[in-house]
Amino acid sequence: MFCNAGIAQELIKIPVHVHIVQIEEGDYKTITTPEDVREDFKNANWIWAQANIFWDVIAIDQTEANTTGFSSETKWFSENFKATKLDTRKASIKKKTAERSVIVISKLIQSEKYQNYSAINVYYLPTLFGTSCGYTAMCQTKSCRRSNEAFSVLAHYHPGGWECFESRRTLAHELGHILGLRHKGTMGKDLMIGSSGQIITKKIAAASRKYYKKYLKKKLN
């Protein structure tokens, strides 16, 4: 069990609504189960215990995907979307790519239809088409744009063929973005940078708790 000395504060419990997006398009098929989700959150909460933050899964639903234009949109996504650390393109290109990628993913998971405004929303897909196992963004539909909603999407498999769950920390990393955290820290050590770190420092723990109390708590109550 992690121990982060100095975090002797009240436990923060954040409600999470999980959506396992049901899809069957050729080889692109949903295989994630509720048991997979519970194990994923068990690992994430083990890491976030360092900040005395608990992600409370209040529901796990199977939701319908919108596969209109699936082939062309996923082809675009796989050709253009890159994980942040691998993206060396101009800022203007990255911005346009990020904006369209959110629209494509929002449509596929039907983020407006399946959005719980009293919880953090996490969606599971078979893969994310690009070079990443996780993705967090602001919702791009009319209703959730007004309330500035964010969501996280997790992949069961990396396009490279291995199970994303094997890392034991992808979900924890994406939930960090929900708490306003960016890609900073020491590679191979800290949760919010690279693909293997699991440490949440006292400074990051304090920033996460502050963000929750200042922003998220008002949204979720």
Side-chain angles (χ1 to χ4, degrees):
M1 188 71 178
F2 280 115
C3 179
N4 200 336
I7 304 297
Q9 304 178 67
E10 80 280 5
L11 176 68
I12 290 176
K13 292 180 69 173
I14 303 176
V16 180
H17 194 140
V18 175
H19 313 264
I20 303 176
V21 182
Q22 302 299 293
I23 186 169
E24 187 169 348
E25 290 285 328
D27 294 333
Y28 193 79
K29 300 178 181 179
T30 299
I31 56 175
T32 304
T33 67
E35 289 71 28
D36 291 328
V37 171
R38 283 189 278 270
E39 184 65 21
D40 211 12
F41 272 87
K42 177 182 176 182
N43 292 329
N45 278 322
W46 180 73
I47 292 173
W48 275 99
Q50 297 171 93
N52 213 18
I53 292 175
F54 181 82
W55 302 90
D56 185 18
V57 178
I58 59 173
I60 302 176
D61 292 336
Q62 294 181 332
T63 54
E64 182 183 4
N66 178 356
T67 56
T68 304
F70 179 81
S71 296
S72 60
E73 291 186 343
T74 55
K75 182 176 184 293
W76 174 88
F77 199 97
S78 64
E79 292 175 347
N80 291 276
F81 182 81
K82 299 175 186 283
T84 303
K85 63 181 179 180
L86 302 176
D87 198 344
T88 58
R89 295 172 296 184
K90 293 181 179 179
S92 59
I93 296 176
K94 289 194 285 186
K95 184 175 184 294
K96 289 180 179 179
T97 300
E99 289 173 348
R100 184 173 176 188
S101 64
V102 176
I103 292 172
V104 170
I105 292 295
S106 293
K107 175 187 170 185
L108 178 63
I109 65 178
Q110 300 202 77
S111 60
E112 183 169 6
K113 182 177 181 180
Y114 302 115
Q115 180 90 198
N116 182 342
Y117 293 98
S118 297
I120 298 304
N121 291 268
V122 174
Y123 303 81
Y124 280 82
L125 288 172
T127 72
L128 274 173
F129 318 110
T131 57
S132 178
C133 277
Y135 178 75
T136 298
M138 304 307 296
C139 183
Q140 290 294 300
T141 54
K142 291 181 180 179
S143 62
C144 52
R145 253 203 321 261
R146 284 196 296 270
S147 54
N148 204 32
E149 290 290 333
F151 63 82
S152 290
V153 182
L154 277 296
H156 193 112
Y157 279 103
H158 186 276
W162 45 273
E163 282 203 10
C164 291
F165 296 136
E166 291 176 5
S167 74
R168 298 174 61 89
R169 49 81 72 191
T170 302
L171 173 62
H173 175 97
E174 296 306 322
L175 293 174
H177 289 312
I178 293 290
L179 287 170
L181 301 179
R182 300 194 177 189
H183 292 130
K184 291 183 179 181
T186 302
M187 191 72 70
K189 176 183 176 182
D190 294 315
L191 175 64
M192 297 310 297
I193 192 73
S195 59
S196 60
Q198 298 185 16
I199 299 298
I200 297 175
T201 64
K202 295 179 185 178
K203 182 178 180 179
I204 293 301
S208 301
R209 294 175 66 87
K210 181 179 180 180
Y211 186 93
Y212 167 78
K213 291 177 179 178
K214 187 173 181 179
Y215 299 108
L216 279 188
K217 189 175 182 179
K218 296 176 183 177
K219 289 177 177 290
L220 302 177
N221 290 336

